[in-house]
Amino acid sequence: MDEKIAQDVRVSRRDATLLVDEQLVITAQRGRIAKVEVGAPLADCFPDATIELAELCAAARKSDVPVTPRVIEHAGRALEVEAVAAGPIVALLFSEVGPRLVADARETALAAITSDVAFVLRADGMIAAATRPARALLGAADLVGRDLTAIVHPDDRARLLELMAGVTTPGTTALRLAADDGGYHTVDVRAAPALDGELVLSGADVTARRGDAALLDAQHAVLEHLAGVHELGRALDAIARFAEEQAVGARAAIYRAAGDDLELAAAPTLAPGWARAARRLAAPPADAQGAVPLSGVVADLAAEQGFGVGWLAPAGPPAGAPVGAVLLLATGPRRFPTSAERDAIDAAAALTALAVGHERDVAAANERGRRDELTGLLGRNALLEQLGVWARDDLAVVLLHVRGVGALNERLGYEAGDTVLRAVAADLQAAVRGRDILGRLRGATFAVAGPVRRGTEGSGLAERLAAAVPARVAASGRRVDVALVVAHVGSEPGERPLAALARAESVLAGQRAGAGTRSGTGPTLR
C-alpha cells in the first residue's frame, strides 16, 4: 500500500476503503486494517451512493489538490467522504457527519426547494430548519426547536403523523398551521426523506386560493338561489363552507332571524350536538359592527361543546334588526379573528343577508298576494286554500255582509265605503279566536270559519261576531250606520269545508234577497 495513503488512514483514525481500478481491496476501521476483499465492486458495497463515490474517485485522480468532501447516506448513516489518490489507488476516508455538516446539508436541501414553505423535521416532530417564507407565514422569527405537531391544527395532526411515519399519499397533503397571530394557514405539502432520518416537508400556502374558490362557490350558490334554481339551504351551506375556508380551523353555522331570536339554518360541518343545543340564539345588537365575541350563556355553551373562542357577525342592513347571522367557533386555541378573517366574516355576513333577505322578500310578497289589499285580511283565494286543507268536520261557516256600501260610495265617495269596510275588518279581527279563519270573501262580504260544538251550527259564533261590529262608524266626517246580514251553517258529517261555504253563500244570497232561509241556518239581521 502506498505509504502516504497508509499514513493518512492511520493519522485520520477514520474508517477507510482503498480502491484499485474501482475494485475494493482493503477496508480499515478506526485506522486499523479490518479485512481484504479483492475484486468487490464499488456498487455492491455502496449501492446507495455508487455514482457519487465514483465521481469523487475520478475527481481525486485528476486533481493534485484536495477534492471537496461529499456527504452520502450509507446503511442509515450520514457520512462525510474524502478521497485521496496515489497512482491507481484511491483511499476513501469516511467520518460521521457532525452537527455543522448536518446543518449545511439542511440548508443545501432547503435552498434547492423552490416552493414557498419548507421545514426539515426530526423524527420526533421537532423543526430542525425552516425556510424564510415558512417563518414569515407563521409570523415567527425562529421555528427551530418547535414541535410541528403542536403547530398543526388538531384535526390535521393524524395526517402529519402519517407523513412522518413514511405513509405516502398521491399528490399533496393539506395541513393547517397555526400562526403566532392566532390565525391558521392552509399549506399543501409533499414529504421527502432527508439525511439522518429527517423529513423535508415542502409546499405552498394555499389559504387565499382555497378561500377565493370557496367564495366563488358561495356567490354562485347565492345567485342560483336568487334565480330560483335552488332553495335557500344550499346557498347557506356554501356560505358556511366559505367562512370555514377563510377563518381556517373554525366551524361555521348560519342563522336566520325568527322573531326576536336567531334560528339555525345551516351547519354543514358542526356536530349534531351543537345543532340541538344551539338551535336558537339571541340576536346580536342592531348596532353591532362586524363580528362580536360570544359571551354569557352562548360562550358557556360553546365551551361545553368543546369549542374555544367564538364570534357572531350580524347579517343585515347597518341600521335595523339583522335578518340573520354568521357564527364561527374555533376548534383549537385561537385568538380573536385576524384582520383578514374579519374581512372574510363580513363577506359571509353580506352573502347571508342577500340570500336570507331575498327569501324574506319573496315570502313577504307571497303573503301580500294572499292578503286583501284594503283590509289586510286573507283574500278570497287564500281563504279558499285554507278551507281546502281543513281536516275536521265540526266546522261552522259564518258570512257577514255589510249592507249599503255601494250606496254609501255613491253618496260620500269610495273613501267612505272603504273606511266602513276597514272598521268592520278590524272589529272582526279582534273578535275571532286563534283557531278561526277570517278573510274578505268579496266586496262587502266577510267569512269566518272555525270549529264549534256539534248541534250548535255556529249560532253562538255568529252572534258574537255580529255583536263585535259597531252600529255606527265615522266616515268622511259623518256617523254612518252599519247594517249586517249574517248567515251561518254547520258542516254536515263527511261534508267538505268548501261545500259548507257554498251552502252558506246560498243562505246569504237568499237572505239578502228576502227569500228566507234554509232549515238549520240562523240568519241575523241588523
Side-chain angles (χ1 to χ4, degrees):
M1 186 190 333
D2 186 276
E3 285 301 323
K4 179 180 182 299
I5 293 178
Q7 178 67 16
D8 285 339
V9 171
R10 286 193 294 271
V11 171
S12 67
R13 307 290 295 174
R14 292 186 289 180
D15 294 349
T17 296
L18 278 65
L19 297 94
V20 179
D21 295 329
E22 308 305 325
Q23 301 293 309
L24 302 184
V25 293
I26 298 174
T27 61
Q29 293 181 344
R30 301 294 179 184
R32 295 183 180 181
I33 301 298
K35 61 182 177 179
V36 176
E37 295 180 350
V38 178
L42 178 66
D44 289 352
C45 296
F46 296 95
D48 297 332
T50 303
I51 296 176
E52 292 90 336
L53 292 179
E55 292 175 347
L56 188 61
C57 290
R61 287 193 179 102
K62 294 177 181 178
S63 177
D64 294 331
V65 297
V67 179
T68 303
R70 294 197 182 186
V71 177
I72 67 167
E73 184 174 2
H74 173 62
R77 300 161 63 198
L79 304 175
E80 181 191 33
V81 186
E82 182 181 358
V84 179
I89 300 175
V90 178
L92 298 178
L93 306 179
F94 299 90
S95 59
E96 291 281 356
V97 175
R100 179 187 60 79
L101 291 175
V102 170
D104 290 344
R106 289 171 184 156
E107 292 301 324
T108 301
L110 292 180
I113 294 172
T114 58
S115 57
D116 293 336
V117 180
F119 307 91
V120 176
L121 297 187
R122 296 203 299 263
D124 58 1
M126 293 296 178
I127 299 174
T131 57
R132 183 178 299 173
R135 298 193 296 271
L137 178 69
L138 302 185
D142 189 11
L143 291 171
V144 174
R146 293 178 61 176
D147 186 356
L148 190 63
T149 63
I151 295 175
V152 74
H153 189 276
D155 292 349
D156 298 343
R157 193 166 294 145
R159 290 201 291 271
L160 174 60
L161 293 176
E162 287 179 352
L163 293 176
M164 293 169 57
V167 178
T168 59
T169 57
T172 59
T173 299
L175 298 177
R176 290 167 290 181
L177 305 179
D180 284 355
D181 65 357
Y184 277 85
H185 297 275
T186 301
V187 180
D188 278 351
V189 301
R190 295 179 184 273
L195 296 175
D196 203 23
E198 293 180 341
L199 183 73
V200 175
L201 293 180
S202 61
D205 178 17
V206 296
T207 307
R209 188 179 72 200
R210 290 169 65 115
D212 290 344
L215 176 59
L216 288 175
D217 288 343
Q219 290 172 334
H220 185 65
V222 170
L223 289 175
E224 286 185 329
H225 168 62
L226 298 182
V229 178
H230 297 299
E231 295 183 352
L232 178 64
R234 179 166 177 173
L236 297 184
D237 275 352
I239 294 171
R241 294 185 185 279
F242 156 67
E244 291 178 349
E245 284 292 349
Q246 290 286 45
V248 181
R251 293 285 183 266
I254 308 296
Y255 284 78
R256 59 188 302 180
D260 295 333
D261 295 330
L262 297 172
E263 186 174 52
L264 184 64
T269 62
L270 277 171
W274 172 266
R276 288 191 299 269
R279 184 152 297 278
R280 294 182 77 89
L281 298 177
D287 58 351
Q289 297 295 319
V292 295
L294 297 183
S295 60
V297 176
V298 182
D300 294 341
L301 179 60
E304 290 174 5
Q305 296 292 320
F307 295 107
V309 68
W311 50 94
L312 191 68
V323 298
V326 177
L327 173 72
L328 280 146
L329 299 166
T331 53
R334 291 291 306 272
R335 300 176 188 172
F336 201 68
T338 63
S339 59
E341 289 172 342
R342 279 181 173 273
D343 292 342
I345 296 170
D346 290 343
L351 287 172
T352 299
L354 182 60
V356 175
H358 172 74
E359 184 84 355
R360 235 186 202 192
D361 292 343
V362 169
N366 291 338
E367 184 63 18
R368 286 194 299 270
R370 292 165 49 84
R371 295 284 169 178
D372 173 56
E373 187 175 350
L374 176 65
T375 63
L377 302 180
L378 290 177
R380 177 180 176 82
N381 291 338
L383 182 66
L384 296 179
E385 178 185 333
Q386 291 207 19
L387 282 175
V389 297
W390 190 279
R392 301 170 58 172
D393 60 3
D394 55 348
L395 175 73
V397 177
V398 179
L399 300 183
L400 302 96
H401 177 76
V402 182
R403 293 191 295 182
V405 172
L408 183 63
N409 289 337
E410 293 179 1
R411 191 169 72 250
L412 300 178
Y414 283 95
E415 181 58 34
D418 290 347
T419 300
V420 171
L421 293 177
R422 282 194 292 264
V424 172
D427 292 328
L428 292 176
Q429 182 73 66
V432 295
R433 302 162 298 180
R435 59 186 181 276
D436 294 336
I437 301 172
L438 167 63
R440 184 183 178 193
L441 193 61
R442 68 172 66 83
T445 301
F446 299 88
V448 179
V452 295
R453 293 195 307 273
R454 289 200 175 279
T456 63
E457 297 187 344
S459 57
L461 176 62
E463 291 172 0
R464 187 176 75 255
L465 294 172
V469 177
R472 307 192 75 186
V473 173
S476 299
R478 302 188 183 188
R479 300 287 294 175
V480 179
D481 292 335
V482 178
L484 294 178
V485 180
V486 183
H488 62 87
V489 299
S491 61
E492 298 174 351
E495 183 180 34
R496 298 177 67 85
L498 292 177
L501 174 64
R503 286 198 300 115
E505 288 188 279
S506 296
V507 173
L508 180 65
Q511 178 61 31
R512 291 178 59 191
T517 63
R518 296 184 181 182
S519 174
T521 64
T524 301
L525 304 178
R526 193 181 73 189

